[in-house]
Amino acid sequence: MAQVEATTERVVAADAEKVFDALADYRGTRQKLLPEHFSEYEVREGGDGEGTLVHWKLQATSKRVRDCLLEVSEPTDGELVEKDRNSSMVTTWRVTPAGEGRSRVVVTTTWQGAGGIGGFFERTFAPKGLGRIYDAVLANLAAQVEK
């Protein structure tokens, strides 16, 4: 098994604090950012950053659905980490200032991939597919916070 990693980033025309607050708002804003690949969204504990427990199903492909139960932590300023209780998947959101009234958002997801030929295809194609999904999330985030 090898670690698989997918990273996507975008510069958003809003202050880093406003962007981070939108990402950390699991009870309100976060659900609005999710494209059609996400379903069964439910906040089970908390709802604002650290200490949140959130559930969703992520349909990465027509045949691949992940049932995710994510524990949220904030290890450093401007960083949200979502650890899936159901798998090795960890998603890290980093929001940093990128000039006057702008911020850079970087989302990185890692997990332990399969071995063998299936693992080869996973390492080859999964990061691209997940990248497209997170491009949509970041576009929705920009639309939300640039209002």
Side-chain angles (χ1 to χ4, degrees):
M1 293 194 330
Q3 181 165 295
V4 182
E5 180 175 307
T7 299
T8 306
E9 68 177 76
R10 183 181 184 115
V11 174
V12 177
D15 290 329
E17 186 175 333
K18 181 177 183 179
V19 174
F20 182 83
D21 288 349
L23 285 170
D25 179 15
Y26 290 87
R27 286 230 180 260
T29 308
R30 181 56 88 88
Q31 186 172 4
K32 297 174 190 172
L33 307 180
L34 302 178
E36 67 279 358
H37 300 88
F38 295 85
S39 64
E40 299 184 31
Y41 184 95
E42 177 188 15
V43 175
R44 296 192 178 167
E45 293 175 18
D48 184 23
E50 179 92 29
T52 296
L53 183 64
V54 64
H55 170 268
W56 59 62
K57 287 193 176 176
L58 171 60
Q59 183 152 5
T61 69
S62 62
K63 296 178 182 176
R64 181 74 169 118
V65 178
R66 278 187 185 260
D67 188 348
C68 303
L69 183 59
L70 304 155
E71 295 177 350
V72 179
S73 63
E74 294 182 32
T76 62
D77 283 350
E79 185 176 70
L80 281 173
V81 176
E82 301 167 344
K83 291 185 179 177
D84 187 10
R85 287 185 179 175
N86 298 332
S87 73
S88 61
M89 188 170 72
V90 177
T91 300
T92 303
W93 299 84
R94 288 185 184 86
V95 181
T96 55
E100 185 74 27
R102 294 164 59 87
S103 53
R104 178 176 313 283
V105 183
V106 179
V107 56
T108 302
T109 299
T110 60
W111 67 94
Q112 290 302 313
I117 191 71
F120 168 79
F121 285 105
E122 182 179 21
R123 288 186 303 279
T124 302
F125 297 108
K128 291 177 179 88
L130 198 54
R132 283 191 295 276
I133 291 169
Y134 280 118
D135 277 340
V137 173
L138 293 176
N140 292 342
L141 173 65
Q144 192 72 31
V145 298
E146 291 176 351
K147 290 181 180 176

